[in-house]
Amino acid sequence: MAVRVTKQVETRDKVLELIERLTIGQAIPSERQLSVDFGVSRLTVRAALDELVREGHLIRRRGSGTFVSEPKIAQELTMTSFTEDMRRRGMRPTSRTVDLRIVPAGARLGRFLNVSPSEPTLVAKRLRLADGETMAIETLHVPSALVPGLTGKDLESQSFYELLRDRYAITIAGGVQQIEPTVTNEEESEALGVPLHSPAFLFERTSRASDGKTVEFVRSIYRGDRYVLVSELTPQTPRTGIPVLTVRDDGRVH
Ligand code: GLP
């Protein structure tokens, strides 16, 4: 077993090197060819390729072969909007509003948004696309009083953060974001165009305006095969260091 695992790791590394020399969309050699080239069994090649497909480096097309995927999007952990993130990478951001309704916040959401449970709250579900490909599903929750007249169409044609700034004179000043690994459910898989139970990131962001008011609580599902999270690391000094993640005895993050 140990020998096979090592061989699989080595094979995976070799295929990764091969991928680096190929271009996006190009086919990799067949499993049979790779097993001859690398001197390992087809079973080992298959297992290594399965891993690379799961991680989003390769894509399998039934009947035609295995191809090099697009590189993942390196998502930095900053306060930026989806629109800004995509533009900065030279990609074209678009959105599709699949649902928008106004509901009472309820107890849980009310706590997140710092409003009473009866406070009317706008809930908008959007698909977020980059260069026409669906990357994420986001459910935005915002107290209606902060964004009178905001429509689903507005959220398709403009960035929410830009609308906040330009139409409602609200500037996002900070927030808290929690990230958890997850897998896609049926609805998410269909919307994102990925197989059921694909790996994904669940982001939950609560943002506040410069006057301290909570502006949004957003739950986003980002495709695990298209994103990698990147953060700059700096040494933490006792005075300025803020713990970003702590796990309590009951396993909950706070
Ligand atoms: C990111 C954040 C969301 C935020 C959104 C705004 O995706 N995770 O919390 O609401 O950006 O994006 P945009 O301004 O492009 O609508």
Side-chain angles (χ1 to χ4, degrees):
M1 186 64 185
V3 173
R4 217 179 86 201
V5 170
T6 317
K7 287 225 160 121
Q8 188 181 317
V9 172
E10 278 170 16
T11 306
R12 178 184 178 276
D13 286 351
K14 284 185 186 155
V15 178
L16 271 177
E17 276 170 27
L18 178 72
I19 290 174
E20 274 171 27
R21 294 197 300 272
L22 300 175
T23 53
I24 298 164
Q26 208 175 333
I28 61 162
S30 66
E31 284 178 12
R32 194 158 46 86
Q33 186 61 48
L34 290 174
S35 94
V36 174
D37 292 352
F38 300 154
V40 293
S41 72
R42 275 185 72 172
L43 208 67
T44 304
V45 171
R46 166 85 47 92
L49 295 188
D50 281 349
E51 208 177 316
L52 292 167
V53 167
R54 260 198 316 273
E55 290 170 358
H57 296 287
L58 292 173
I59 187 161
R60 275 206 180 98
R61 295 211 187 92
R62 211 185 289 270
S64 59
T66 307
F67 303 85
V68 176
S69 324
E70 294 221 23
K72 291 192 180 192
I73 296 174
Q75 178 66 45
E76 285 174 63
L77 303 177
T78 51
M79 195 69 241
T80 45
S81 71
F82 180 85
T83 304
E84 259 179 287
D85 282 342
M86 292 307 118
R87 282 192 189 138
R88 200 177 295 161
R89 287 179 177 82
M91 299 173 98
R92 189 176 53 89
T94 46
S95 299
R96 207 150 65 72
T97 306
V98 288
D99 191 30
L100 184 140
R101 58 186 74 198
I102 293 178
V103 296
R108 189 161 175 271
L109 188 56
R111 254 195 332 273
F112 293 147
L113 291 175
N114 239 326
V115 293
S116 81
S118 60
E119 182 79 16
T121 306
L122 180 141
V123 182
K125 190 183 271 190
R126 285 189 294 170
L127 300 184
R128 313 301 315 256
L129 295 84
D131 288 346
E133 190 187 2
T134 313
M135 295 291 175
I137 310 172
E138 291 202 310
T139 312
L140 165 72
H141 308 81
V142 47
S144 305
L146 295 181
V147 288
L150 186 67
T151 66
K153 267 244 147 345
D154 293 335
L155 289 170
E156 288 191 341
S157 54
Q158 267 188 78
S159 144
F160 175 57
Y161 281 5
E162 282 170 16
L163 280 160
L164 279 178
R165 189 193 59 209
D166 302 340
R167 190 189 290 179
Y168 301 106
I170 295 172
T171 310
I172 298 280
V176 175
Q177 184 162 264
Q178 182 169 307
I179 306 156
E180 263 184 76
T182 186
V183 291
T184 53
N185 63 22
E186 239 167 78
E187 187 200 342
E188 292 156 355
S189 302
E190 206 187 310
L192 295 172
V194 296
L196 182 64
H197 298 152
S198 291
F201 295 107
L202 164 64
F203 286 79
E204 285 188 342
R205 184 187 289 190
T206 310
S207 313
R208 57 175 189 281
S210 35
D211 63 1
K213 267 204 193 119
T214 304
V215 179
E216 62 166 2
F217 168 69
V218 183
R219 198 172 180 279
S220 318
I221 301 285
Y222 276 69
R223 282 172 57 171
D225 62 335
R226 300 295 285 114
Y227 277 87
V228 57
L229 304 182
V230 177
S231 72
E232 178 79 34
L233 302 179
T234 47
Q236 223 181 33
T237 58
R239 263 171 59 79
T240 56
I242 344 158
V244 285
L245 185 93
T246 37
V247 182
R248 289 198 298 242
D249 289 349
D250 60 4
R252 290 176 66 87
V253 178
H254 68 129

